[in-house]
Amino acid sequence: MRHPRVANLQVRDVFSNALRLYRAEPVRVSVSALILLAPGLVMGVGTGAFIDRIQDETLSGKIVVAVIIAVIAGVIGTLGTVFYAGVLDELVGAVIRGQEPPALGPAIRALPLWRLIGADLVVTFIVGVASSVLIAPGFILLTMLSTVGPIVNIEHRKIFPSIKRAISLTFPHLWLTMMTIGLPLGIEFAADHYFLHLEGNAGLIVEFLVSVPLILTVGVLVGLTEVVLAYALLARDPDSSVAAMVASSLEQTSS
């Protein structure tokens, strides 16, 4: 993957680069997705089974259950995704930078684990609170914060500066962010909502058999597009190391 392509802020380029990363490192991407995103799946299915037992035919009861489902879907959909995107950058970000991907041992040791975990929990809390008030703003906020994990890993920032950085990068390109991150997230959330609100038509085993492929497709695509979008947005900031990398690559290409 050539560096100049990283800076392209087009929906097609972001998705094609994400797919290119998947093809370059399919084992790392898929295994890490199952390890990091499957716990959220377990929580979602278990919570859905519990909610389905709630029997309340009143309008207010249905509204309460609907709100609970929406908030849980938002929290579960967020939990682990920030951390996963940060891990992905360490595992496959070298492909974007034109370098050899590190071995798993050094890659894991290089991860700012506690900052990624803290950032994931803070973003989950913020999005959960926002979603409990209004679902649409919560979803938009989640989309804007989608690059927090890669930013933590790329720029070695602390949690709240990374959150501020993510908002400042994505807000001027909100349409691009919604199309590249929001669209697959919406598909993922719709699936989560469906599985949380099953009415006994499918057993837990069937839900898992359907959800695991969902993780390996939509879940992986979300994580990879978060990484690619982070690089594309950082490339537009002259003070970023990514911008310096792109400029250096352009100089080498022209010489």
Side-chain angles (χ1 to χ4, degrees):
M1 186 181 302
R2 297 179 180 177
H3 292 160
R5 190 181 298 167
V6 175
N8 290 346
L9 288 179
Q10 301 293 330
V11 174
R12 182 179 62 182
D13 291 322
V14 173
F15 280 134
S16 63
N17 285 341
L19 292 173
R20 191 175 291 109
L21 283 178
Y22 203 167
R23 290 195 298 267
E25 295 290 339
V27 176
R28 289 188 177 203
V29 170
S30 56
V31 171
S32 59
L34 289 175
I35 292 174
L36 297 177
L37 300 182
L41 168 64
V42 174
M43 290 173 58
V45 172
T47 307
F50 172 76
I51 291 177
D52 283 337
R53 296 181 181 179
I54 299 177
Q55 300 294 330
D56 194 335
E57 297 300 326
T58 65
L59 178 61
S60 60
K62 291 181 178 179
I63 292 175
V64 170
V65 172
V67 171
I68 291 174
I69 290 174
V71 173
I72 291 175
V75 170
I76 291 174
T78 310
L79 189 63
T81 57
V82 172
F83 184 80
Y84 176 55
V87 171
L88 273 182
D89 174 65
E90 188 64 37
L91 293 177
V92 301
V95 177
I96 296 178
R97 299 188 297 270
Q99 302 168 349
E100 189 70 23
L104 288 180
I108 293 173
R109 288 193 294 270
L111 280 170
L113 288 174
W114 293 114
R115 271 181 290 165
L116 286 173
I117 293 173
D120 198 293
L121 294 176
V122 170
V123 170
T124 299
F125 175 78
I126 293 173
V127 172
V129 171
S131 299
S132 67
V133 179
L134 287 172
I135 297 174
F139 180 74
I140 294 173
L141 183 59
L142 168 60
T143 305
M144 293 176 65
L145 295 176
S146 62
T147 57
V148 169
I151 288 173
V152 169
N153 200 55
I154 295 169
E155 299 195 322
H156 308 289
R157 293 175 180 260
K158 294 182 179 180
I159 296 172
F160 289 101
S162 295
I163 291 175
K164 182 180 178 181
R165 176 76 153 156
I167 293 176
S168 68
L169 288 173
T170 56
F171 182 74
H173 304 282
L174 188 56
W175 173 250
L176 173 70
T177 305
M178 292 301 297
M179 289 301 296
T180 56
I181 305 296
L183 182 61
L185 268 180
I187 296 173
E188 189 174 23
F189 277 13
D192 285 338
H193 181 274
Y194 171 75
F195 289 126
L196 284 171
H197 204 47
L198 281 176
E199 297 181 355
N201 295 326
L204 293 180
I205 294 179
V206 175
E207 293 184 43
F208 278 109
L209 290 177
V210 174
S211 299
V212 169
L214 189 66
I215 287 178
L216 295 178
T217 52
V218 181
V220 165
L221 179 63
V222 170
L224 290 174
T225 50
E226 287 171 357
V227 173
V228 172
L229 184 62
Y231 275 95
L233 295 176
L234 288 170
R236 297 302 178 99
D237 182 352
D239 297 326
S240 170
S241 60
V242 177
M245 176 192 74
V246 172
S248 174
S249 178
L250 286 171
E251 290 177 1
Q252 293 176 7
T253 303
S254 61
S255 62

